[in-house]
Amino acid sequence: MPHKVDVTAMKTTHWCVWLVLSGSACWAEASSPKTYRVETIAGSGDIGDTGPALAAELGSIQGVAVDTLGNLYLSDTDYHRIRKVTADGVISIFAGTGVAGFGGDGGPADRAQLNMPYGIAIGGAGDLYVADLGNNRVRHITPDGLITTVAGNGDRSSKGDGGPAVEASLCTPRNLALDTVGNLYISEFEGHRVRKVAPGGIISTFAGNGMAGFNGDGSLVPYAQFAFPAGLALDLYGALYIADSQNQRVRRIAPDGRITTVLGGVAGTKLQTPTAVAASHNGFLYVGDQSSTVRAYTIISTWINVAGTGAPWFAGDGGPAVSASLTSANDLAVDGGGNIYIADGKRIRRVDPDGVIQTVAGDGYWKAVGEDGRATSARLFRPTGVAFDRAGNLYVADSGTERVRMVLPSGSISPVTGTGLPGFAGDGATALGAPSHTPTGVAVDSAGALLIAETGSHRIRKLANGIISTVAGTGGGGSGAEGGPAAETPLRLPKAVCVGLAGALYIVDSGNHRVLTVTADGRIARVAGSGVAGYANDNAWAPAARLQTPSACAVDSGGNLLIADTLNHRIRRVTPGGIITTVAGTGLPGVSGDEGLATAARLNAPTGVAADASGSIFISDTGNHRIRQVTPDGVIHTLAGGDQAGFAGDGALARAALLDTPGGLQLDSSGNVYFADTNNNRVRRLTPEVVTPEVEPLPPPALIQVSVLNAASLLEGPVAPGEILTIFGAGIGPVQGANGTFDSTGLLTTEVGGTEVRFDNIRAPVLYAQQDQINLQVPYTVAGRAQTQMEIRYNGKAVAAAALAVTEAAPALFPVAANQDGSPNSPSEPAPRGTILTFYGTGEGLTDGPNIAGRMAELPYPRPLLPVTVAVAGLAAEILYAGSAPGLVGVFQLNARVPGGYIPPGTATVIVSVGGAAAPPFQIWLK
């Protein structure tokens, strides 16, 4: 955390830095790819809120709780929201924007960002606690709707015991429980512990030694071992129950601190990965596990069935719960009236005291999905694959709704397969009456038939003339030998299918780490992959090579087969002669290499690939939330998205858009790129910008000569990602100076007073613009380049340009420093030796944060990726904090302790280095 100093005293120094950036006086010294726009063509953010809960669409519900007024709270993990169902059955958003991320602390919860919220717990005052698993935090929402963090600093580890919970780290917090005195218990799923936050905010380890295993029964909790602890519950006597999921047990910690197993581990009480526990006022302990049942352990130590038959399905509403089918039992809650609430996959179901079960929230994507209406108003759920037919109809593998859906050229959407329930039936029958099981990939063959990769049923199916049939796979996950009939050859989790130039059918048999083809006589042959997971044999015979969970395929204009070799983080190519090579990716997960050779670039779990007639390859770089292109010269470019998952940018340039886990992609005849933006529940389109040449091009105007300087040092040099620059020139902005403003998303605008500055056609956030000066932040997208092309535009016309060298870091300090008491360091106010000084600078390069230009720094404050050192008068200084300056854009803050000895009073020189780059010397005064 940044060193805390007196706020009042700091105002002058901190504001001075902002004035420097905004341009006011505070110191004495003054084969390029196409550009695309992005839009949504199917799917929307409408999931039924403010309407009846029974008509709403829910994702995978991983947490449920009920308050004393009968309001139901749901942790909608897939949609990154907490939703509320009132006692009269109306659903609304209680917390979360629906876009994964972290933000909003101190403000309204429905405007905050969550990331995979899991367990929830209700406090005595009606407040709500949320295990924000993806952010490794626990958040607190007050009864009036304000959200804050109460535990976790964002780091994924188990540290900080004995200190403030907000400064400690958590390792995948999964479930929560609150006792009657206000202690908060947190199960760390991958940390193999239970942590406790006392009412005063101090965190400690309550149980578990952090090592996965089973041990400790009969002894005190510090000696216990757990394996992926999940659900938590407290009984009337203060005992804590823990779903010790991978030990197949429910364990009890008594008030005296001794731990025992109460369920599982012995014959007669066998559990299957228990994750949900709840305790009722009548002394019953309820348990949900992967057997798709809910059972109860009674006060007389008997084990009875409460709900579910053990068959994973949805059925039985209105009848006895013990005869009903559950799809899953992810979490449980019990209200004061004895009603049991079950987080049953995409629904919430209630078992009343008479044992009757009903759905109280969620349609399960059975009816209310927006069929036969506008595609942009429909509700998609985890779309993963897209394909066009010759009539221009777009097919979408909407895996979460268990359907394939069709978007007509007119923009309307309708189902073509599936009933909304997972399963396999109906070969030889009408497709709409046949259930699907997780359709993930689609393609259209040369005869116009639709081919579907059904991952859940381990089959490739075909829809022709409205009738569905099986092409390949037996339905039992396995690996069949080559040469047999395709329909009699087992597949394992096939994720994609594609069609070659001569109509050849290729099957991505993902679970078997291979790509197959169906020969003309209907038999299976292996094209790539030996069936053994791994990476081997590039530039060799493809069937002998190793793949690792491939997820997509495409055929280019030369007949080469392209494979998204997902967990090898590569795109592979198989020539018509059967030789396999890598065309993109180094094999190491990550993001790098734009504007360089694709084979030297890093990808992260790509799951989509396509090719155009010119030889360009398009990639869904899924883990990096980008669409990338490899041009025929072998150079890779990012077309859309960035490192941060999110949803933004429709109607604007795709390079500045946010995507979330893009999947399958397809090109149309006009060069538009369609892709499944899976976790945004949308299909989006990249449309090339059309450049219309003038009939008689005018000669370009003479460009203005400009000086490009580091805003802190006012020196020229290479620029770094995220650095604040000051540009001087004549006629580069408005006569009257104008400061930048923040838009509704919290980003600095990229146009101020008619002035905008682009780096490789990416607009930079502008802090200040006037006719002879611009202050701006360099976009982080320049990272990894040797050079960037800067262009200044004023009132829509190019007025200046420069080619700038790019470096990892170009540090410099602003001419302001604060003493430990907050006063500005100066000859009249020198700093005592051994005290802490605060410096501000820019040019530190990439950070461990989202690296989004134009965003004010907020918790958790990003730190530079490169090492930082500080020397005072040649002696190393202790660094207490080196990271982004809170509330500022593009500014890093250093809190460093001046060495206490060997330095005489008077002036001293400070040298700050980031990586291998040193900032210009900085002078301070000591006493």
Side-chain angles (χ1 to χ4, degrees), residues 461-708:
R461 305 181 79 185
K462 180 168 74 172
L463 174 61
N465 301 316
I467 304 299
I468 196 162
S469 60
T470 294
V471 173
T474 62
S479 57
E482 293 184 68
E488 298 175 12
T489 302
L491 306 176
R492 181 178 283 117
L493 302 173
K495 290 187 177 179
V497 61
C498 60
V499 177
L501 299 180
L505 170 61
Y506 297 97
I507 299 168
V508 181
D509 192 11
S510 303
N512 287 319
H513 314 288
R514 61 187 185 176
V515 178
L516 308 173
T517 188
V518 179
T519 61
D521 59 355
R523 296 183 177 275
I524 284 289
R526 192 156 39 92
V527 176
S530 65
V532 178
Y535 171 74
N537 292 2
D538 241 5
N539 301 301
W541 180 238
R546 290 189 181 183
L547 310 176
Q548 188 151 321
T549 319
S551 296
C553 65
V555 177
D556 68 16
S557 58
N560 300 293
L561 176 68
L562 302 169
I563 304 168
D565 194 0
T566 302
L567 293 188
N568 278 325
H569 312 289
R570 288 175 161 95
I571 301 298
R572 315 279 292 272
R573 177 167 56 202
V574 180
T575 66
I579 302 301
I580 191 169
T581 57
T582 293
V583 295
T586 64
L588 294 175
V591 56
S592 69
D594 272 352
E595 312 312 318
L597 288 178
T599 51
R602 289 193 182 188
L603 309 177
N604 191 348
T607 62
V609 63
D612 66 13
S614 70
S616 284
I617 299 170
F618 297 82
I619 304 167
S620 279
D621 193 0
T622 306
N624 288 323
H625 313 290
R626 299 171 180 233
I627 303 296
R628 303 175 82 176
Q629 178 188 14
V630 181
T631 43
D633 57 2
V635 174
I636 193 168
H637 319 269
T638 291
L639 302 183
D643 299 337
Q644 182 186 28
F647 176 75
D650 267 6
L653 290 177
R655 188 61 187 85
L658 292 180
L659 320 178
D660 193 344
T661 320
L665 48 77
Q666 178 79 47
L667 276 71
D668 67 11
S669 58
S670 300
N672 300 305
V673 183
Y674 293 75
F675 64 95
D677 197 357
T678 302
N679 282 356
N680 280 323
N681 299 306
R682 290 168 167 87
V683 173
R684 301 172 82 180
R685 175 172 62 196
L686 304 181
T687 304
E689 282 202 301
V690 177
V691 178
T692 304
E694 298 181 25
V695 177
E696 294 182 3
L698 298 174
L703 297 180
I704 299 166
Q705 295 297 313
V706 294
S707 298
V708 182

Side-chain angles (χ1 to χ4, degrees), residues 16-43:
C16 184
V17 174
W18 179 256
L19 291 176
V20 168
L21 300 180
S22 65
S24 302
C26 181
W27 53 11
E29 299 181 34
S31 102
S32 180
K34 295 177 181 176
T35 300
Y36 291 80
R37 290 189 174 268
V38 66
E39 60 183 324
T40 294
I41 58 102

Side-chain angles (χ1 to χ4, degrees), residues 295-440:
R295 290 172 281 181
Y297 190 60
T298 70
I299 55 177
I300 58 172
S301 301
T302 57
W303 183 237
I304 61 174
N305 193 43
V306 172
T309 63
W313 194 252
F314 170 72
D317 270 3
V322 293
S323 302
S325 296
L326 308 176
T327 57
S328 58
N330 298 333
D331 198 24
L332 301 169
V334 184
D335 68 13
N339 296 294
I340 306 164
Y341 294 87
I342 306 169
D344 185 12
K346 302 168 191 173
R347 298 174 173 86
I348 299 294
R349 301 175 79 181
R350 182 183 64 208
V351 180
D352 66 23
D354 294 328
V356 176
I357 192 169
Q358 293 283 359
T359 297
V360 295
D363 175 72
Y365 292 86
W366 199 0
K367 296 177 183 177
V369 291
E371 300 293 17
D372 301 316
R374 298 294 302 173
T376 50
S377 300
R379 300 172 187 171
L380 305 182
F381 187 41
R382 290 182 178 170
T384 52
V386 291
F388 277 100
D389 66 15
R390 286 174 291 186
N393 301 305
L394 178 67
Y395 295 93
V396 181
D398 198 18
S399 65
T401 70
E402 308 291 353
R403 293 175 170 90
V404 175
R405 303 164 77 177
M406 179 174 66
V407 180
L408 298 174
S410 63
S412 65
I413 190 169
S414 59
V416 293
T417 69
T419 62
L421 294 176
F424 172 78
D427 260 3
T430 303
L432 284 175
S436 296
H437 199 336
T438 321
T440 53

Side-chain angles (χ1 to χ4, degrees), residues 63-75 83-87 120-124 126-128 278-279 281 331-342 348 350 360:
V64 60
V66 59
D67 66 17
T68 56
L69 300 177
N71 297 304
L72 192 63
Y73 297 86
L74 322 175
S75 192
R83 300 170 78 179
K84 177 182 177 181
V85 180
T86 60
I120 51 181
I122 295 177
D127 45 347
L128 189 74
H281 295 299
D331 198 24
L332 301 169
V334 184
D335 68 13
N339 296 294
I340 306 164
Y341 294 87
I342 306 169
I348 299 294
R350 182 183 64 208
V360 295

Side-chain angles (χ1 to χ4, degrees), residues 704-729:
I704 299 166
Q705 295 297 313
V706 294
S707 298
V708 182
L709 313 175
N710 180 294
S713 66
L714 289 185
L715 296 175
E716 292 183 325
V719 300
E723 179 184 355
I724 303 297
L725 299 180
T726 294
I727 301 173
F728 293 113

